[in-house]
Amino acid sequence: MLITGAAGFIGGHVAEVFRRAGHEVTGFDLRPATDVIAGDVRDRRALDRPLRGVDLVVHQAAKVGLGVDVADLPDYASVNVHGTAVLLAAMARHGVGALVLASSMVVYGEGAYDCAEHGRVRPGPRAVQDLERGRFEPRCPRCGATVDSATIGEDAPPDPRNAYATTKLAQEHLTANWARETGGAAVALRYHNVYGPRMPRDTPYSGVAAIFRSAVERGTAPRVFEDGRQRRDFVHVRDVAEANLAAARAGEPGRLVAYNVASGVPHTVGELAAVLAAERGGPEPVVTGEYRLGDVRHIVASPERARAGLGFRASVGFAEGMREFSTAPLG
């Protein structure tokens, strides 16, 4: 089997899980590392050697993060969209019949919400004037009333809100094309907020857990955007790796099936910052009221399809995982 992005945060953990399960793993990554072939998924010739004799590809390689501004668009499209297209064409050329794709919950945009009058609704992007005034909660797109956050399932219509999200959805569409045209079996794992050892350090493209962890490590207060009450599902990287192993056995020929990979227990961003600060004995978080246009308010996953279809259930609880993460080595 081949793992792209095998030298990365999630890819490295995925490679370890597959090796422990007895798989013969070939790693492929831009960065040279032990047991990894250095190369670019956008280079069709570089893929010929690692794909030779492979029956499964686990595609983790991607440019991640929400992006800084529109200047990032070409890089996201090049790596995530063009790179995936080149990989899929190479897989077809080599007769590889199974793929596990690292997708993301960002394809949903806002999560699911319930309106007392109109039932299940999907709010559009929040208005800048509302965000400027500290009005962070979405409202019903039909009547403007307050709505309640609900869990979102895999059949919800996609609504990507930033460059990364758009390219992850494009990856899913390309993969579905590949599956239909080749009869290959494809699984898309929609990761929710992944954290854990070897997570990349604080950069403009880092996840919020790494940004907060880096702040408390420096002895500075984590800066929490909006009012800190935005809800996310934080899932440990070891659980994500186990989900990939389960997905390798679960594909259906000729189609793509998507699964949420999540803990099933949401927490607020403010809670995340407070727990990490407390674990390190650092300054308490500062709620800034700042915002990013590409962010959504709440995204809470339903893990039921993954439980039924993959037999996957997250095993690392929030308190246990954050206690470990507070002192774990970062990438």
Side-chain angles (χ1 to χ4, degrees), residues 60-86:
Q60 303 288 327
K63 182 176 176 65
V64 300
L66 296 185
V68 175
D69 55 39
V70 294
D72 286 325
L73 289 172
D75 282 345
Y76 277 100
S78 176
V79 176
N80 296 354
V81 182
H82 180 62
T84 298
V86 173

Side-chain angles (χ1 to χ4, degrees), residues 140-226:
C140 176
R142 298 179 63 183
C143 67
T146 300
V147 290
D148 296 320
S149 176
T151 57
I152 195 162
E154 292 85 351
D155 293 330
D159 185 17
R161 302 287 176 86
N162 53 64
Y164 175 60
T166 300
T167 59
K168 296 308 285 186
L169 182 58
Q171 286 184 320
E172 289 195 16
H173 288 319
L174 289 169
T175 298
N177 294 157
W178 168 84
R180 283 194 299 271
E181 294 181 25
T182 68
V187 174
L189 299 180
R190 292 175 177 169
Y191 301 159
H192 285 251
N193 289 68
V194 185
Y195 73 96
R198 307 199 299 268
M199 191 175 190
R201 287 187 176 274
D202 183 7
T203 78
Y205 304 94
S206 294
V208 67
I211 292 171
F212 290 165
R213 160 62 202 276
S214 295
V216 298
E217 191 173 39
R218 294 191 303 266
T220 60
R223 295 176 60 81
V224 180
F225 281 13
E226 300 187 16

